[in-house]
Amino acid sequence: MTRPSHMPALRRLLPPLLATLALSACGNSDDAIVATPPSQPAPPPVQVQPEPARPQDARSFSVVETALPFDAMANAPETDRWWGVLGKAGYQIEVPKNWNGMLVMYAHGYAGTGDKLSVAPPALRRHLVSQGYAWAASSYSTNYYDVRAGVEDTNALALAFRDIAQKNGRTLAAPAKTYIVGVSMGGHITAAAVDEENIAAANNKIRYNGAVPMCGVLGDTELYDYFAAYQTAAMQEAGMPATSWPVANWETIGPQVQAKLFSSFPGGSTPAAQAVPTAQGLRLKQIVANLSGGPRPLFDYAYAGPLQNTVWGTFGRDGKVMGILNEDVVSTKDIVFQLDADPALSLEEQTYNASIFRMLAVPDANRPRRDGLRWIPKTNARITVPVVTIHTLGDLYVPFKMEQIYKRRADAAGTSNLLVQRAIRGISHCDFTIAEQASAFDAMVKWEQQGVKPEGDDVLTPSVVADPQYGCKFTDNTASEGDSANLLAVRAQLPQCTR
């Protein structure tokens, strides 16, 4: 509740008024003199020192408003559908006629570096609407890896939900529950939105009741440490070690490094080719397995797949995350490069780690900001609501390692009792079936509403993660309407679970 603006003045007046009443009670009211308190000058406004400008602040973006309208689904409950622009972000909202009173915010993934903003419904749309949930999604007001904008714009849309409904002729009560789900960068946004640091620092403040980050960047800036470590390891294995950062002539030497390590590679004129290591490149495969989450099922399939080209496309950059930051945030100082599956470091591995070039982050490159969230909000696992995550084992773009980092943060913060994680037997990025996403969402809701904590996977014990059957418990290849035919075909070709 907002206090009336005259309350501070009342606090100053109450002491003399109470003193006067006390004198009256003693029979001296006729002679009592009421002193007028001296006027107090208004306090000066709080000055917030402006933050320095960064390249992202100079970029312009616009919503593609003609792409905002979306149709009703066939064979689904009747809904109201609204779209428009809130602030500088586009949005879509869908509310069933038989709304259950709960709202699900959807955070989309990385949309590239173009200047056009767009938004689309979540893959879970049919599942949500069929259970009576309303959902809302923002385009965000920027592109690039701008998680700060994603959190603020998603929060702003959640806060504006009732007003938008009212303007469209439907009066709704405030949602009884508001959940948040998201994929990839949207998974980062989802985890950040329920983190106490970001709840306190956000300009648009809301507390969600639960979260489902999917294929999320749960290690925040440590994703970029992984990219840098992979690149420097590739250069080391190719006999062309890095000596500075960023590598100034990567466009020239990158193809040379790749040719030494792979006899074929996806991308360019051979987009469907497999990544096949040369004899010289075999050790890099083991290094990357360890960098991305350790030995685990399906890694061989993932390493050979087209996602390799996407990962290599991140090489050659500096540590400023393409202008989101002003200083380098990337650090490989504490990364341990392992040449085999044995976690103990051999003499050869000790020598390797001592000789490989290390990137060092600029201190406070991603410090807390005076005007709101960090430029790249942290996922500290400082959570007070249930969080259920899902992640594919073969993801090399946002690797399974992100789950391990997040779990260690939760353990350190004492919040692992609020975290459940599930491994999915997929070999690409965010390649979930709808059944897997729906299962995670339903499990989170049941946990939040009924206190029934769902099952999950151990993501930290190496022997558990390396088990050939790891990920079987929550992998569900059941086809649902809206599933990708290609995804289902790929799943059918992978080693199947036998227990």
Side-chain angles (χ1 to χ4, degrees):
M1 178 181 294
T2 302
R3 295 181 182 274
S5 59
H6 57 269
M7 286 300 292
L10 279 176
R11 290 195 188 98
R12 293 193 294 269
L13 287 171
L14 276 174
L17 288 174
L18 289 172
T20 302
L21 288 172
L23 287 171
S24 299
C26 293
N28 293 327
S29 59
D30 291 341
D31 301 320
I33 299 174
V34 179
T36 302
S39 60
Q40 298 291 326
V46 177
Q47 297 293 329
V48 177
Q49 182 182 353
E51 291 285 358
R54 54 189 173 140
Q56 178 73 345
D57 299 323
R59 294 168 177 150
S60 297
F61 304 92
S62 60
V63 177
V64 183
E65 295 191 45
T66 55
L68 292 175
F70 62 108
D71 295 330
M73 293 181 292
N75 304 314
E78 188 179 359
T79 64
D80 287 318
R81 301 176 314 285
W82 307 312
W83 52 84
V85 177
L86 179 66
K88 296 181 179 180
Y91 67 82
Q92 293 178 334
I93 295 176
E94 187 167 26
V95 185
K97 295 293 188 181
N98 62 337
W99 183 42
N100 66 10
M102 291 179 276
L103 172 64
V104 178
M105 300 304 299
Y106 169 64
H108 70 71
Y110 179 68
T113 60
D115 63 354
K116 300 297 187 252
L117 304 173
S118 60
V119 61
L124 278 173
R125 178 188 178 190
R126 182 177 293 277
H127 180 75
L128 295 175
V129 168
S130 69
Q131 295 191 28
Y133 291 97
W135 64 264
S138 171
S139 71
Y140 320 143
S141 52
T142 65
N143 283 326
Y144 289 77
Y145 198 79
D146 198 342
V147 174
R148 171 175 160 136
V151 172
E152 289 287 10
D153 294 331
T154 300
N155 287 1
L157 182 59
L159 294 169
F161 172 71
R162 291 181 68 198
D163 287 343
I164 292 171
Q166 188 70 47
K167 290 175 182 177
N168 283 276
R170 186 169 175 184
T171 301
L172 297 176
K177 306 279 186 180
T178 303
Y179 303 112
I180 183 168
V181 304
V183 295
S184 192
M185 185 182 92
H188 185 166
I189 290 165
T190 298
V194 295
D195 195 284
E196 286 300 305
E197 175 186 310
N198 304 313
I199 293 171
N203 292 304
N204 297 305
K205 296 185 185 298
I206 182 172
R207 281 191 175 272
Y208 296 99
N209 296 95
V212 182
M214 298 179 278
C215 50
V217 185
L218 298 179
D220 49 72
T221 58
E222 290 193 48
L223 174 64
Y224 294 88
D225 299 345
Y226 157 74
F227 291 148
Y230 188 165
Q231 181 185 338
T232 52
M235 296 176 71
Q236 192 86 354
E237 292 302 299
M240 304 172 68
T243 57
S244 63
W245 194 265
V247 179
N249 57 341
W250 178 252
E251 288 187 4
T252 300
I253 70 169
Q256 299 172 33
V257 170
Q258 192 177 97
K260 288 176 180 288
L261 302 174
F262 297 93
S263 59
S264 69
F265 198 82
S269 60
T270 57
Q274 288 195 330
V276 179
T278 61
Q280 185 176 356
L282 283 174
R283 192 164 71 167
L284 177 65
K285 181 179 178 181
Q286 183 63 58
I287 293 171
V288 174
N290 291 321
L291 289 174
S292 60
R296 57 198 187 276
L298 309 183
F299 176 78
D300 289 349
Y301 293 84
Y303 196 76
L307 206 56
Q308 279 275 26
N309 189 47
T310 305
V311 176
W312 277 66
T314 69
F315 295 174
R317 299 174 184 170
D318 61 20
K320 299 178 180 65
V321 193
M322 301 179 73
I324 295 297
L325 303 173
N326 282 335
E327 305 289 350
D328 286 357
V329 76
V330 168
S331 174
T332 59
K333 178 173 67 72
D334 297 323
I335 287 179
V336 177
F337 294 87
Q338 292 184 288
L339 309 181
D340 55 34
D342 184 352
L345 288 183
S346 65
L347 179 60
E348 181 184 18
E349 288 171 326
Q350 292 176 41
T351 302
Y352 192 96
N353 278 275
S355 63
I356 194 167
F357 183 81
R358 301 283 183 169
M359 282 73 75
L360 300 178
V362 174
D364 289 334
N366 187 39
R367 60 168 172 79
R369 296 287 154 182
R370 294 178 292 270
D371 59 355
L373 301 169
R374 295 177 194 251
W375 284 339
I376 302 180
K378 297 288 291 181
T379 52
N380 299 307
R382 289 177 52 201
I383 51 177
T384 60
V385 296
V387 175
V388 175
T389 75
I390 56 175
H391 216 114
T392 50
L393 291 170
D395 192 344
L396 292 183
Y397 186 46
V398 179
F400 192 69
K401 181 78 170 182
M402 295 287 105
E403 296 288 336
Q404 297 166 339
I405 292 169
Y406 194 62
K407 176 60 165 65
R408 290 191 177 99
R409 291 180 181 180
D411 287 345
T415 59
S416 55
N417 62 309
L418 290 169
L419 174 63
V420 167
Q421 297 167 285
R422 295 178 170 183
I424 304 297
R425 293 171 68 90
I427 61 172
S428 192
H429 179 50
C430 304
D431 53 328
F432 307 112
T433 63
I434 292 174
E436 290 158 352
Q437 297 177 61
S439 175
F441 176 78
D442 291 348
M444 181 275 292
V445 169
K446 185 175 182 181
W447 186 10
E448 192 275 327
Q449 294 182 10
Q450 301 178 27
V452 180
K453 186 174 182 177
E455 290 186 296
D457 283 312
D458 174 358
V459 303
L460 291 183
T461 305
S463 60
V464 172
V465 176
D467 188 313
Q469 298 296 305
Y470 185 66
C472 287
K473 184 179 291 187
F474 301 106
T475 297
D476 187 347
N477 295 325
T478 304
S480 302
E481 187 170 353
D483 271 325
S484 160
N486 181 66
L487 166 63
L488 297 172
V490 169
R491 289 283 186 94
Q493 297 171 20
L494 297 175
Q496 301 299 302
C497 297
T498 57
R499 69 171 189 267

